[in-house]
Amino acid sequence: MTVEEKIGALVERFCRNRSHLADMIGVSPQALNNWVYRDRIPRKGIDAIMARFPQVDIEWLRGGSLPTSGGALPLPDEEEEDDYEPMSYAPAHFVTGVQPSLGDVQQPDSKEGLVPLQMPRKDVKYVFQCHGDSMLPRIQDGDYVGVGEPLGRYEAFRKDVPYLVQTTDGRLMVKMVEDPGPQSPYLFLSTENPNYQLADGGRLAKSEFRAAYRVLMVMRDI
């Protein structure tokens, strides 16, 4: 992932445009453009980003890619040091405008469209923002949910536990899930909000089901 793509991901997640990002981290827009041109974020730049957005994965910022157009490679600034101490945190990815490959599809190595975050739980793999009121009062509109690895079996669903469910047409929703058994062609979805009405009485055909992820954390802000 190039520095330009990383800057774009940060802009999409945290601010309005590059100039706004530069202002938020206390550098000039020209400095930000230089990072993009050189395809490298200097140590001072990484420190500035981490100071303003501590939830971002520092290793993601450091791992820039080399230019592909030929010519001399950018040299490090003389005053910089490359001896970063590794940080102890669990990396997860905030899903931005591009949906990742979920379920039984292999995850892309480049993690395009994902912004790494620092999570206090090592089992949190992805963070999604929720919209709607179906899971009130547990999950409010705009809350973020941290989820783990996809479930491997229908029998793994637990009662009164929220799951992030993905359908074969790409829909994502947080609901409770019940599997009536292998003889049933349906899963049954339910909500926390008694005033919320689910389509088809909450039935989801197993043929339309792609993956489910147990919700491990609910956050008001990240």
Side-chain angles (χ1 to χ4, degrees):
M1 196 174 193
T2 66
V3 168
E4 183 173 15
E5 290 169 331
K6 292 176 184 178
I7 294 298
L10 292 171
V11 167
E12 181 178 352
R13 172 66 188 92
F14 296 113
C15 47
R16 298 186 299 270
N17 50 44
R18 279 192 192 177
S19 295
H20 187 204
L21 177 62
D23 182 62
M24 292 182 75
I25 63 176
V27 302
S28 69
Q30 182 60 45
L32 209 62
N33 290 335
N34 287 341
W35 302 349
V36 171
Y37 176 77
R38 299 175 62 192
D39 198 28
R40 182 175 181 275
I41 304 176
R43 175 167 182 171
K44 289 182 178 179
I46 291 175
D47 290 343
I49 293 172
M50 293 303 300
R52 184 63 179 82
F53 309 116
Q55 64 269 49
V56 172
D57 186 343
I58 193 172
E59 294 301 328
W60 178 72
L61 289 174
R62 293 178 60 199
S65 58
L66 296 177
T68 58
S69 57
L73 298 179
L75 298 175
D77 296 337
E78 292 182 357
E79 72 274 16
E80 292 181 4
E81 300 174 11
D82 292 324
D83 55 348
Y84 279 102
E85 291 295 327
M87 297 180 66
S88 58
Y89 56 82
H93 289 87
F94 176 82
V95 180
T96 61
V98 179
Q99 289 294 348
S101 297
L102 299 177
D104 56 1
V105 179
Q106 184 177 0
Q107 296 291 338
D109 292 336
S110 61
K111 299 294 183 184
E112 297 293 341
L114 307 182
V115 178
L117 305 175
Q118 299 173 45
M119 289 288 109
R121 292 185 55 158
K122 292 184 178 181
D123 50 354
V124 172
K125 302 301 180 184
Y126 294 97
V127 177
F128 290 79
Q129 187 172 26
C130 297
H131 300 284
D133 59 358
S134 69
M135 296 299 288
L136 288 175
R138 187 187 312 207
I139 302 174
Q140 302 178 18
D141 182 45
D143 283 355
Y144 299 87
V145 294
V147 303
E149 297 288 355
L151 271 65
R153 300 176 295 114
Y154 287 127
E155 296 84 357
F157 286 116
R158 297 184 182 180
K159 186 177 180 181
D160 298 325
V161 172
Y163 294 90
L164 176 73
V165 176
Q166 186 186 38
T167 60
T168 53
D169 60 4
R171 288 178 294 149
L172 291 168
M173 49 189 167
V174 176
K175 300 288 183 287
M176 264 87 75
V177 185
E178 179 184 354
D179 176 23
Q183 303 304 319
S184 173
Y186 297 102
L187 296 172
F188 287 94
L189 311 182
S190 60
T191 68
E192 293 265 284
N193 186 349
N195 298 319
Y196 190 91
Q197 299 297 319
L198 285 169
D200 298 324
R203 293 192 309 177
L204 175 66
K206 290 181 178 178
S207 61
E208 299 177 7
F209 171 81
R210 183 177 180 186
Y213 303 75
R214 183 174 178 177
V215 173
L216 302 172
M217 297 179 63
V218 179
M219 298 158 280
R220 296 279 108 87
D221 188 19
I222 58 172

